[in-house]
């Protein structure tokens, strides 16, 4: 029996579930198939980076087993909602693999802030003052976020004084592959500016390096163009990667939201006899549509600040605004990540509930109204600023 299994048995983890059957198969494939916004796979980071200095000096969690966990933003099934004392549709699931080298062996899991989570934290971390425990505080901060986008996570944790190493915060392999074409087109003009037209063919290769944080000698001309120190360049590339990711997600989300907006206008639930529900649907559908459209525009306005700084570099050959933007831009990650995270939740839950379930699972009017109210509440809780300047 390995160390984690012994720890589980000895402390009798309150509220923890064992992953079996289909869940084990899903766990084994998370590292290759999961989206960046849904999963933070610390188990994979442990396998790839556990000997790195930053990994050791700036751990994500203090507990060594927790630092091999897989965190998932999970859409709650109907039987899982009773695990919480208040209504919610998504939760942060902590999966502790029995062996990070072989996820097929499964693991155990618990939802952050589920009923019994305090008992779990008190027992697992062997402390009565669990609310002051470093790892518990990090878990609760993560649970407050709408997604696990690494750039949103980094900014949110940093605001509370937690600064894990950047090796923990990466774009997932599946998203990197989907982003390559977009990122290549995005940086092509900059490659010409930094390397010259004779090296234009490098753009695809360099896009991959920027997305995966491989800061080798091939990127040195870019560091020279931007007049950055090694540390500034490392931070700047992380920032650039974040804006490339958010810009790509913004494009993807526009297509997803078009499908949601079409469905809002066309979907016909059954059991529409209750007057108050009919009245809400009449007023709520267009109000929600306006909220979604405004959130999309808000993301676009924020990303326009990046576009302006980028244009100054590639069109005016002025590196100053883009350099300054890369160093200061992460202050926008929270707003961008929150907006995109909420829109992503709306898109994924709509697809899960309205598309994948099929026509035989048509919602009743109360169920449909309840879902729309959840979407509206999510949009209302977004924090945003009217203007951004650097």
């Amino acid at each position: 029996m390995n160390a984690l299994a012994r720890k589980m048995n000895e402390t009798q983890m309150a509220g923890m579930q064992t992953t079996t059957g289909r869940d084990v198969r899903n766990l084994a494939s998370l590292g290759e198939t999961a989206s960046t916004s849904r999963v933070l796979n610390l188990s994979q980071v442990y396998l790839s980076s556990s000997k790195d200095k930053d990994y050791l000096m700036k751990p994500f969690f203090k507990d060594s087993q927790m630092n091999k966990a897989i965190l998932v933003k999970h859409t709650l099934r109907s039987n899982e909602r009773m695990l919480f004392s208040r209504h919610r549709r998504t939760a942060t699931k902590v999966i502790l693999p029995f062996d990070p080298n072989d996820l097929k062996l499964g693991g155990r899991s618990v939802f952050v802030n589920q009923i019994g989570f305090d008992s779990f934290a008190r027992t697992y971390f062997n402390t009565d003052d669990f609310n002051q425990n470093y790892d518990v505080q990090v878990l609760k901060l993560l649970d407050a976020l709408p997604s696990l986008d690494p750039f949103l996570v980094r900014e949110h944790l940093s605001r509370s004084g937690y600064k894990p190493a950047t090796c923990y915060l990466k774009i997932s392999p599946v998203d990197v592959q989907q982003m390559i074409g977009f990122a290549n087109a995005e940086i092509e003009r900059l490659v010409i500016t930094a390397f010259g037209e004779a090296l234009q063919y490098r753009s695809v290769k360099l896009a991959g390096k920027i997305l995966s944080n491989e800061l080798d000698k091939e990127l040195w001309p870019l560091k020279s163009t931007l007049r950055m120190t090694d540390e500034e360049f490392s931070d700047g590339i992380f920032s650039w990667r974040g804006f490339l990711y958010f810009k790509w997600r913004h494009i993807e989300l526009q297509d997803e939201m078009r499908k949601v907006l079409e469905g809002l206008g066309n979907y016909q639930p059954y059991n529409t006899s209750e007057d108050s529900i009919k009245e809400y649907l009449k007023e709520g559908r267009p109000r929600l549509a306006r909220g979604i459209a405004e959130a999309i525009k808000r993301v676009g306005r924020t990303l326009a600040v990046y576009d302006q700084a980028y244009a100054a570099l590639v069109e005016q050959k002025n590196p100053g605004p883009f350099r300054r933007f890369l160093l200061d831009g992460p202050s926008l990650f929270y707003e961008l990540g929150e907006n995109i995270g909420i829109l992503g939740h709306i898109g994924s839950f709509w697809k899960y509930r309205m598309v994948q379930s099929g026509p035989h699972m048509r919602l009743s009017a109360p169920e449909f109204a309840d879902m729309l109210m959840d979407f509206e509440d999510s949009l209302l809780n977004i924090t945003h600023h009217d203007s951004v300047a650097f």
Side-chain angles (χ1 to χ4, degrees), residues 161-390:
Y162 302 96
K163 297 181 179 181
T166 56
C167 65
Y168 292 100
L169 301 169
K170 298 179 178 180
I171 302 173
S172 73
V174 65
D175 280 346
V176 167
Q177 288 304 311
Q178 292 177 8
M179 284 182 65
I180 283 292
F182 164 79
N184 173 42
E186 182 73 14
I187 73 169
E188 188 173 31
R189 289 184 297 164
L190 181 56
V191 170
I192 296 172
T193 300
F195 298 89
E197 292 190 20
L199 299 178
Q200 185 175 350
Y201 70 91
R202 280 187 174 183
S203 57
V204 176
K205 189 174 182 180
L206 294 177
K209 290 181 180 294
I210 289 170
L211 293 180
S212 60
N213 198 30
E214 296 179 23
L215 302 184
D216 58 20
K217 292 182 179 180
E218 287 193 79
L219 290 171
W220 282 4
L222 183 57
K223 182 179 71 172
S224 177
T225 296
L226 295 173
R227 301 169 190 167
M228 287 179 162
T229 64
D230 289 351
E231 183 177 357
E232 287 175 337
F233 189 60
S234 178
D235 290 342
I237 290 296
F238 181 87
S239 175
W240 193 12
R241 191 182 312 123
F243 282 98
L244 288 172
Y245 173 76
F246 285 132
K247 193 169 183 179
W248 171 71
R249 282 294 292 139
H250 183 234
I251 293 170
E252 296 280 305
L253 279 170
Q254 288 180 68
D255 184 57
E256 293 177 29
M257 291 303 104
R258 273 193 291 271
K259 295 174 182 176
V260 174
L261 294 175
E262 289 173 4
L264 280 176
N266 299 330
Y267 190 77
Q268 296 299 322
Y270 70 90
N271 189 19
T272 57
S273 58
E274 190 173 335
D275 289 341
S276 60
I277 297 293
K278 287 195 294 184
E279 185 65 23
Y280 169 75
L281 292 179
K282 180 181 177 182
E283 298 178 355
R285 291 196 209 218
R287 186 170 59 237
L288 177 58
R290 290 192 296 271
I292 290 172
E294 176 54 35
I296 286 286
K297 291 178 182 177
R298 194 156 53 235
V299 173
R301 287 196 295 268
T302 305
L303 290 173
V305 181
Y306 158 79
D307 290 333
Q308 291 165 8
Y310 185 77
L313 175 60
V314 299
E315 295 174 9
Q316 303 169 24
K317 304 299 186 290
N318 179 8
F322 192 64
R323 177 186 184 279
R324 187 166 59 252
F325 178 80
L326 289 183
L327 295 176
D328 296 339
S331 62
L332 301 176
F333 282 172
Y334 189 88
E335 181 180 347
L336 279 169
E338 190 180 35
N339 276 273
I340 286 176
I342 293 299
L343 291 169
H345 159 68
I346 291 173
S348 62
F349 195 80
W350 181 275
K351 182 178 180 181
Y352 164 75
R353 198 68 179 89
M354 311 294 286
V355 179
Q356 294 179 346
S357 298
H360 62 287
M361 294 292 288
R362 193 157 61 99
L363 299 181
S364 68
E367 289 174 324
F368 187 57
D370 181 58
M371 183 178 70
L372 300 195
M373 284 188 280
D374 173 64
F375 292 167
E376 282 201 277
D377 287 344
S378 298
L379 289 169
L380 286 172
N381 289 328
I382 290 176
T383 55
H384 60 90
H385 307 284
D386 293 331
S387 60
V388 180
F390 286 100

Side-chain angles (χ1 to χ4, degrees), residues 12-29:
Q12 297 181 331
M13 295 295 98
M16 295 205 82
Q17 304 293 320
T18 301
T19 56
T20 58
R22 180 183 175 187
D23 288 336
V24 171
R25 293 192 296 274
N26 290 343
L27 179 60
S29 65

Side-chain angles (χ1 to χ4, degrees), residues 7 11 13 61-63 66 117 119-128 130 133-136 139:
K7 189 171 185 179
T11 55
M13 295 295 98
F61 291 111
K62 299 294 187 184
D63 179 82
M66 191 67 69
F117 178 76
S119 178
F120 156 77
R122 185 180 294 108
T123 307
Y124 185 88
F125 296 109
N126 192 27
T127 177
D128 289 330
F130 60 90
N133 178 272
Y134 180 100
D135 290 350
V136 172
L139 286 171

Side-chain angles (χ1 to χ4, degrees), residues 95-114:
I95 304 172
L96 295 165
F98 290 133
D99 184 351
N101 293 287
D102 187 1
L103 296 181
K104 292 180 181 178
L105 295 177
R108 305 202 69 179
S109 64
V110 65
F111 291 114
V112 180
N113 290 326
Q114 72 168 75

